[in-house]
Amino acid sequence: ALSFKAPRLLAHRSPQKSFFETLIRSLIILCVAIAVVLSSISICDGRWLFARGQLFGLWHFCTVSNGSVLKCVTDLSLAKVEGLSVGVIPIRSMVSFAVVVAIFGLELLMVSQVCEDANARRKWSMGSILILVSFFLSATGVLSFSILVKDHLTFTGFTLTYWCEFIAAFLFFLNGISGLHINSLTHPRN
């Protein structure tokens, strides 16, 4: 009776993933997590451009007065940039929503790796698509902000938090595409 149970137990086990596939999927999950952290830091700080003694951001407008004292206000109309006070509202919404969508995508990616069920491939694909949606939202927010303050743009004026958001958008794109690609390379598991 024992000899009949062993083959049946082995027959129900799912095939093991290769080390390379597991490594790639783990790196994608790690990079998405890093992108979420970078984007969150960038949004919370929100000061993205420093030009001519003025600091333009998602939440504040600051001026540097004598003695290097930073005076910040939340009334963005004081920046005297046409459309900034109204235009920054959808930008804030887009980049914030990008982080929320990316967190759900990251969760689907992780769940698909932890729970090896029949829907694991579908969860991975859906997670990768959500990461790509995060890219579109984040990239649109970064580009819209740059267009909004185009008269004040200098390459060296972008702050570290702006570059964090830029890199996060790039990582969202790279990992979303990579996630879909690795899923298409691997064969469906029965």
Side-chain angles (χ1 to χ4, degrees):
L2 186 59
S3 61
F4 290 113
K5 288 183 182 177
R8 270 190 245 146
L9 289 174
L10 291 174
H12 291 294
R13 288 182 61 202
S14 62
Q16 294 293 320
K17 285 188 211 171
S18 70
F19 171 76
F20 185 68
E21 181 185 348
T22 303
L23 177 68
I24 296 295
R25 287 179 186 261
S26 299
L27 287 174
I28 288 171
I29 289 170
L30 177 67
C31 288
V32 169
I34 290 170
V36 167
V37 170
L38 285 175
S39 189
S40 298
I41 290 169
S42 176
I43 293 164
C44 288
D45 180 69
R47 298 172 183 158
W48 283 8
L49 180 70
F50 183 73
R52 303 178 196 132
Q54 298 175 322
L55 192 58
F56 300 93
L58 299 178
W59 311 98
H60 301 94
F61 168 70
C62 304
T63 53
V64 179
S65 61
N66 30 341
S68 300
V69 177
L70 203 61
K71 290 184 182 175
C72 296
V73 293
T74 54
D75 185 7
L76 298 175
S77 62
L78 297 175
K80 295 184 175 113
V81 174
E82 187 181 340
L84 183 66
S85 59
V86 175
V88 83
I89 294 169
I91 293 170
R92 282 191 301 233
S93 301
M94 277 188 284
V95 292
S96 299
F97 191 58
V99 172
V100 173
V101 172
I103 289 170
F104 283 112
L106 178 62
E107 184 175 349
L108 280 171
L109 294 179
M110 290 190 301
V111 166
S112 74
Q113 295 309 290
V114 174
C115 305
E116 287 284 332
D117 59 357
N119 296 321
R121 285 178 51 81
R122 228 174 299 154
K123 289 176 190 169
W124 181 270
S125 292
M126 191 60 197
S128 297
I129 290 168
L130 287 177
I131 299 302
L132 281 176
V133 170
S134 295
F135 158 71
F136 286 115
L137 290 168
S138 184
T140 304
V142 166
L143 186 62
S144 300
F145 182 82
S146 300
I147 291 169
L148 208 55
V149 293
K150 66 183 178 298
D151 296 335
H152 299 275
L153 283 185
T154 60
F155 186 71
T156 56
F158 288 120
T159 63
L160 186 59
T161 53
Y162 175 88
W163 290 115
C164 283
E165 187 64 32
F166 185 86
I167 291 169
F170 179 71
L171 285 174
F172 287 145
F173 172 74
L174 209 60
N175 291 297
I177 292 293
S178 300
L180 289 174
H181 185 63
I182 192 142
N183 220 30
S184 70
L185 289 178
T186 57
H187 299 294
R189 290 172 170 72
N190 296 326

